[in-house]
Structures are given as structure tokens and as C-alpha cells.
Amino acid sequence: TQLLEQSPQFLSIQEGENLTVYCNSSSVFSSLQWYRQEPGEGPVLLVTVVTGGEVKKLKRLTFQFGDARKDSSLHITAAQPGDTGLYLCALRKTSYDKVIFGPGTSLSVIP
Amino acid sequence: DAGVIQSPRHEVTEMGQEVTLRCKPISGHDYLFWYRQTMMRGLELLIYFNNNVPIDDSGMPEDRFSAKMPNASFSTLKIQPSEPRDSAVYFCASTSSGRGAETQYFGPGTRLLVL
């Protein structure tokens, strides 16, 4: 059983649409991160959330950490072609654990 | 400042050959990570170092894989002998144990194809 699950696996939308992707774990974790990976590049950190119920905004991106600290969502408003990429969530069970990455959601925004 | 540097960016080799991937972490970072990414298995941690010392190599798939970090500015991941199933993108990442320790900075990756 995978520690981290992400849904959907693939998402293709038109420019200007809104979307939400999800990250779920079977375990409680101390922190969760969202990365974006563009084709041919390495992942780049978008945000780190550590408090249950926490909401963080990064321009058109809104990140939410579930109250039980087992899930998270990423909402993108008015998606643009530049948002295209692989969105990875990553968790650390405790402060001293290594980071574990989810399988990712591949987003394609069509102009 | 330069980010994490990896070389080569692309490598094509034949089964049975030795492959060496190289990484230069960000100056001042004391943690270095090697990851492998495939469509089937996603992004997997292979091994990580702290202050040039290997801390956790439980992700290294088998004895054909080895990693070294002879100094704070250089690390290698070696596959000998290589097999077609080793084809993947290999990433190196680094971070600092100080403020901002949760942020891993990834290199551009090495795309390895073993024929």
C-alpha cells in the first residue's frame, strides 16, 4: 500500500478553468510539501505546510492542509499554460524522517 | 548563485557498461540526496548524505548501485553493470540543516537510457 496517494493522476483542462488536486496519506505527518516539476527539469518547492487546517496562498494557488494532518489539496484558479507540469506532494512523518514523494498529478493546461 | 549541477544531462549506454553520474550541491549545503524517477515508480529516494557521510542507503536497489561523496562539493552515483531496467531520470538534491532545512533544491537531472 502506497504511503501517499495523489488524485487525479492526469488532468487536462482549458486555460481559465479552476482545478483541485488532492494528496492523501494513511498516516499522520509532521509536514507536507507541494512541488511542481516542469518537463525536463527537477522539482521546485512551492509550499510547506505544518499545521492542521493551515491554508496558504501563492498567487493563484491555494494550498490546504487537512485538520487531521493526513491530507492536503491544491486549488488553482484560472489556470494558465505556465501551470502545466507534474505536481508532487511530499511528506515527512516526523521532523527527523526523510521526505517521501507521492506519485504526482500531471497537469496540462491547454491555451 | 549556481544551483545544483548534474552531469551528464543525458547518457545512453549499453547493458553491462558502467555508468557514473555526477553532482555538485549548492555551496554550504550539508545534505545531499540521490533520487530516481520513473513513470512506474515515481520519485524514489536512493541514498542521502549528511556532511559527506551516507546516512540512509535503504533505497539503493541492489549492489550494482553505489554512491560516494568524497568532499562537500562533489558526489557520484555509479551503476555497474548497468541494465535496461535502470533507465530513468536520476536527480540530485541538496539542502542545509540550518534555517530552511525543509527545502530541497533539485538539479536538472540525468536522463539515463540503458539499451
Side-chain angles (χ1 to χ4, degrees):
Chain A
T1 302
Q2 199 159 20
L3 183 62
L4 262 182
E5 296 181 343
Q6 291 189 246
S7 61
Q9 186 177 2
F10 299 98
L11 186 58
S12 181
I13 62 172
Q14 293 291 133
E15 182 177 359
E17 292 183 358
N18 301 332
L19 67 113
T20 302
V21 298
Y22 302 91
C23 175
N24 293 281
S25 171
S26 55
S27 304
V28 175
F29 39 89
S30 66
S31 67
L32 182 139
Q33 298 179 313
W34 284 95
Y35 286 78
R36 179 170 64 209
Q37 183 179 14
E38 297 184 9
E41 300 294 332
V44 175
L45 180 67
L46 296 173
V47 74
T48 299
V49 287
V50 297
T51 306
E54 184 175 4
V55 176
K56 283 192 174 180
K57 292 192 174 184
L58 184 64
K59 297 183 180 179
R60 295 176 294 100
L61 279 60
T62 302
F63 305 86
Q64 185 159 8
F65 196 9
D67 291 338
R69 300 172 66 172
K70 297 175 68 174
D71 59 277
S72 180
S73 64
L74 160 58
H75 182 79
I76 302 179
T77 303
Q80 299 178 1
D83 296 327
T84 293
L86 180 68
Y87 287 81
L88 296 160
C89 68
L91 69 81
R92 183 179 276 132
K93 291 175 70 176
T94 71
S95 303
Y96 304 99
D97 277 327
K98 58 192 177 188
V99 173
I100 298 171
F101 283 85
T105 292
S106 180
L107 171 65
S108 178
V109 181
I110 302 167
Chain B
D1 287 338
V4 175
I5 299 172
Q6 291 187 247
S7 65
R9 290 295 306 274
H10 299 88
E11 177 81 29
V12 181
T13 190
E14 292 186 342
M15 181 174 63
Q17 296 298 307
E18 177 180 293
V19 175
T20 300
L21 311 181
R22 298 172 176 80
C23 174
K24 176 178 170 56
I26 293 173
S27 178
H29 283 188
D30 53 351
Y31 282 86
L32 183 140
F33 307 82
W34 281 102
Y35 290 89
R36 177 174 68 178
Q37 187 175 41
T38 61
M39 286 292 293
M40 290 296 294
R41 302 176 66 89
L43 192 61
E44 303 174 280
L45 178 66
L46 300 177
I47 184 172
Y48 76 92
F49 296 82
N50 177 223
N51 290 322
N52 314 336
V53 176
I55 302 301
D56 184 346
D57 65 355
S58 59
M60 296 285 263
E62 48 197 275
D63 292 345
R64 296 185 297 105
F65 285 69
S66 62
K68 295 182 179 180
M69 192 165 185
N71 58 64
S73 59
F74 184 66
S75 177
T76 60
L77 177 66
K78 186 175 294 186
I79 308 172
Q80 166 64 20
S82 59
E83 296 182 2
R85 59 188 168 133
D86 302 330
S87 297
V89 182
Y90 291 81
F91 288 101
C92 175
S94 69
T95 192
S96 169
S97 58
R99 184 179 177 82
E102 69 276 5
T103 303
Q104 291 192 30
Y105 295 87
F106 284 78
T110 295
R111 294 182 176 274
L112 173 65
L113 178 60
V114 183
L115 301 174

